[in-house]
Amino acid sequence: MFGFSKKLLRISTTLCLICGSILILLAIALKFSSLDCYLDDTRQMIDLNTAACRDHYYKALNLSASGKKNCTKIIQGDWEEVSQTLLENLEVKKRRVVASDKDYIELAKDCATFKTARKYITFSVSTEEANYPIAYSMVVHGEIESFERLLRTVYTPQNIYCVHVDAKSSDTFHQAVRAIVSCFDNVFVASKLESVVYASWSRVQADLNCMEDLLNSTVQWKYLINTCGTDFPLKTNAEIVKALKLFNGKNNLESEEPPGRKKWRWENHFEVKKNIVNTNIKKGPPPLNIKVFSGKAYIVVTKDFVRALFEIPFVKEFMEWAKDTYSPDEFLWASLNRVPWMPGSFPRHVIFDNSDMNSLARLVKWQDMEGDIKHGAPYSPCMGIHRREVCVYGTGDLPWLLQQQHLFANKFDPKVDDHALQCLEEHLRFKTFYGDIM
Ligand SMILES: *[C@@H]1O[C@H](CO)[C@@H](O)[C@H](O)[C@H]1NC(C)=O
Ligand SMILES: *[C@@H]1O[C@H](CO)[C@@H](O)[C@H](O)[C@H]1NC(C)=O
Ligand SMILES: *[C@@H]1O[C@H](CO)[C@@H](O)[C@H](O)[C@H]1NC(C)=O
């Protein structure tokens, strides 16, 4: 009898211990799983595998467009919805005033407040992205709000961002960029700043300055993407990573047989004063039998390609030759991408020619190409306005923009059509949380 109750006591003690341990384990598991869904500045990586987590973060970090417009409808091509925003753009009263240099200097004084108020995503949203850093060379000269909204949308903690600010930009612009940049360990201002003269070598040099700094960074980035102040992404970081992996070590940029009407650009010697001037003095052909191809300033290139720019002596020779030409940014990268000894390049054979529409680097609507697709035009007319013969997109361009394969598009301007930018911001942020998570 005594022995039996002793045994019972022993069993119940054991049971209690087991039950207790299970309860404690459950509590720990619960605590950690719920912790996963709390914003914590110190965490670098958050798995968005559960629906509850995604909802939790999206609620805090969405970039929902302001006002009555429904961006989903706009992106689906609902013209009634688009015309509403067009009408709003015409009403001066309703236009939002863009944020100034001073606004940003003030807001970024307290970095924690800045990141929260501007809804930066300060953690990686997937392991695959965390393991695939990208380097950005961002060349800017003004319009602080455009720069900051671009940075906010492409920002992730694993990437590395170099910002080249035009040496002749205003003091307050320099201060505002530095204030923003000071809030992030992985965003910095280039160590050398050029005074950028339109269509001159200085535009290339600005990117080169950033590239050199980016090569010196300890971040193990795989590809470099360059942007200017009027660019905006059409894809999320996860989608960009997927695309870069598919490039498989090749560069991706426009590079085509140059049209005859552009040859004067590198057949004459140009001088840079306040502007660039044609001296009409003839120049020799490029050295090393390099063939000139035409393209744009926008590139997506591998780290090995960037390294080669500084390490291969032939490149230096070609660059020296290009320094006194007109708009070298629009042929230098395109030509180097067709030289056999450049990493990630393509043979010069015509079958490797790549138009801006077929490459992924940048989507641009050129005024002289717009027209009726039914009659052979590459795209329909711009729904915003034209600047330097390029479309500054309006909301009506969004359905088309989001049907293309390009990673980035140019040009956007919140003063021309803020609704277009807002809808892109909303769309990309939604896809960051609810798109294909890798
Ligand atoms: C978007 O964020 C705001 C807070 O800024 C929040 O009140 C709202 O509920 C969020 N919307 C969605 C759809 O999660
Ligand atoms: C916006 O439009 C979509 C598609 O028509 C609809 O599903 C969604 O509920 C709308 N959103 C709002 C907030 O009205
Ligand atoms: C990059 O690093 C090397 C070696 O540490 C240094 O000599 C060079 O000046 C650095 N370049 C830049 C642009 O900081």
Side-chain angles (χ1 to χ4, degrees):
M1 175 85 176
F2 202 51
F4 177 73
S5 68
K6 218 177 180 181
K7 204 173 181 182
L8 203 70
L9 192 72
R10 215 180 298 132
I11 290 171
S12 56
T13 318
T14 322
L15 266 177
C16 268
L17 274 173
I18 293 172
C19 286
S21 321
I22 289 173
L23 274 176
I24 290 169
L25 280 175
L26 265 177
I28 292 174
L30 256 175
K31 189 161 157 54
F32 272 95
S33 65
S34 59
L35 245 185
D36 251 332
C37 283
Y38 280 99
L39 279 180
D40 175 353
D41 230 13
T42 62
R43 299 190 58 196
Q44 287 285 297
M45 172 57 220
I46 288 169
D47 244 311
L48 294 170
N49 281 328
T50 69
C53 251
R54 293 184 195 198
D55 293 347
H56 179 88
Y57 282 111
Y58 187 69
K59 199 162 171 33
L61 293 168
N62 71 73
L63 296 177
S64 297
S66 68
K68 283 191 297 228
K69 63 181 167 290
N70 182 326
C71 289
T72 310
K73 284 188 180 167
I74 289 172
I75 288 166
Q76 286 168 353
D78 180 327
W79 296 111
E80 218 167 287
E81 199 73 19
V82 169
S83 17
Q84 282 303 318
T85 68
L86 291 182
L87 286 177
E88 264 189 55
N89 282 339
L90 294 176
E91 281 183 68
V92 180
K93 282 200 305 266
K94 285 198 180 161
R95 266 190 230 162
R96 196 180 56 85
V97 179
V98 298
S100 68
D101 296 340
K102 290 220 168 70
D103 294 334
Y104 276 105
I105 294 170
E106 201 50 45
L107 187 61
K109 268 185 183 154
D110 178 351
C111 288
T113 310
F114 171 73
K115 287 189 222 178
T116 313
R118 298 295 298 153
K119 297 190 168 181
Y120 276 79
I121 303 180
T122 55
F123 49 87
S124 307
V125 294
S126 70
T127 324
E128 188 158 2
E129 287 171 78
N131 293 335
Y132 203 92
I134 301 166
Y136 279 88
S137 167
M138 309 177 81
V139 175
V140 295
H141 59 85
E143 308 295 341
I144 193 71
E145 187 188 288
S146 295
F147 162 68
E148 192 270 335
R149 286 168 77 177
L150 168 61
L151 177 68
R152 170 172 69 169
T153 294
V154 296
Y155 183 81
T156 73
Q158 74 272 8
N159 291 347
I160 177 99
Y161 307 83
C162 172
V163 189
H164 180 284
V165 188
D166 197 323
K168 63 179 184 311
S169 294
S170 70
D171 284 347
T172 58
F173 182 71
H174 278 269
Q175 282 167 30
V177 172
R178 285 187 193 274
I180 294 167
V181 158
S182 74
C183 289
F184 304 94
D185 294 337
N186 57 335
V187 188
F188 63 90
V189 172
S191 59
K192 276 181 280 174
L193 300 180
E194 308 294 322
S195 180
V196 180
V197 174
Y198 181 73
S200 80
W201 175 259
S202 51
R203 171 67 186 83
V204 174
Q205 193 60 50
D207 268 326
L208 287 172
N209 292 357
C210 265
M211 289 174 183
E212 203 173 357
D213 289 339
L214 288 164
L215 281 175
N216 262 11
S217 137
T218 54
V219 174
Q220 300 294 308
W221 53 273
K222 320 284 185 200
Y223 270 88
L224 174 132
I225 297 175
N226 65 353
T227 65
C228 72
T230 50
D231 289 330
F232 211 76
L234 299 176
K235 302 286 187 282
T236 62
N237 189 70
E239 290 173 313
I240 294 175
V241 166
K242 270 188 198 165
L244 297 180
K245 286 187 171 179
L246 284 173
F247 290 170
N248 198 25
K250 290 290 197 176
N251 306 316
N252 194 292
L253 50 131
E254 176 185 349
S255 172
E256 289 180 287
E257 174 73 27
R261 63 185 159 81
K262 280 194 178 166
K263 293 193 170 141
W264 59 273
R265 295 176 168 207
W266 53 88
E267 285 175 351
N268 294 291
H269 162 71
F270 287 80
E271 256 163 38
V272 180
K273 305 263 167 62
K274 207 166 158 248
N275 294 309
I276 188 162
V277 195
N278 190 349
T279 63
N280 285 312
I281 299 169
K282 289 287 165 213
K283 243 180 106 59
L288 312 158
N289 203 21
I290 290 177
K291 181 172 155 49
V292 175
F293 283 87
S294 110
K296 294 286 144 31
Y298 314 113
I299 58 176
V300 177
V301 291
T302 66
K303 191 173 199 175
D304 285 339
F305 179 92
V306 177
R307 220 180 262 129
L309 297 174
F310 301 96
E311 287 175 1
I312 299 188
F314 296 133
V315 180
K316 193 158 264 167
E317 213 177 309
F318 180 53
M319 284 187 181
E320 285 305 319
W321 172 84
K323 279 184 179 169
D324 63 346
T325 60
Y326 183 90
S327 218
D329 54 332
E330 295 191 356
F331 71 79
L332 186 92
W333 311 120
S335 305
L336 286 173
N337 200 37
R338 306 298 284 279
V339 175
W341 32 263
M342 282 306 283
S345 67
F346 291 86
R348 24 157 120 168
H349 193 282
V350 64
I351 60 170
F352 290 101
D353 274 19
N354 202 5
S355 73
D356 58 342
M357 289 309 290
N358 285 330
S359 65
L360 266 69
R362 199 66 84 258
L363 181 59
V364 181
K365 236 183 198 183
W366 297 93
Q367 189 168 13
D368 61 352
M369 296 272 187
E370 292 170 8
D372 191 339
I373 299 171
K374 283 203 283 305
H375 294 117
Y379 31 72
S380 52
C382 174
M383 304 296 279
I385 63 157
H386 291 105
R387 190 178 290 159
R388 279 196 182 131
E389 286 156 58
V390 171
C391 174
V392 180
Y393 300 114
T395 25
D397 288 304
L398 281 176
W400 177 79
L401 285 168
L402 289 167
Q403 281 161 24
Q404 311 307 315
Q405 80 275 28
H406 300 74
L407 307 182
F408 286 79
N410 178 280
K411 302 181 172 312
F412 290 93
D413 183 346
K415 289 184 202 151
V416 171
D417 197 330
D418 195 38
H419 301 297
L421 272 169
Q422 283 185 20
C423 283
L424 257 184
E425 287 171 327
E426 174 183 314
H427 173 77
L428 290 172
R429 192 51 74 92
F430 180 82
K431 271 213 313 199
T432 298
F433 288 100
Y434 295 100
D436 294 339
I437 306 283
M438 293 202 281

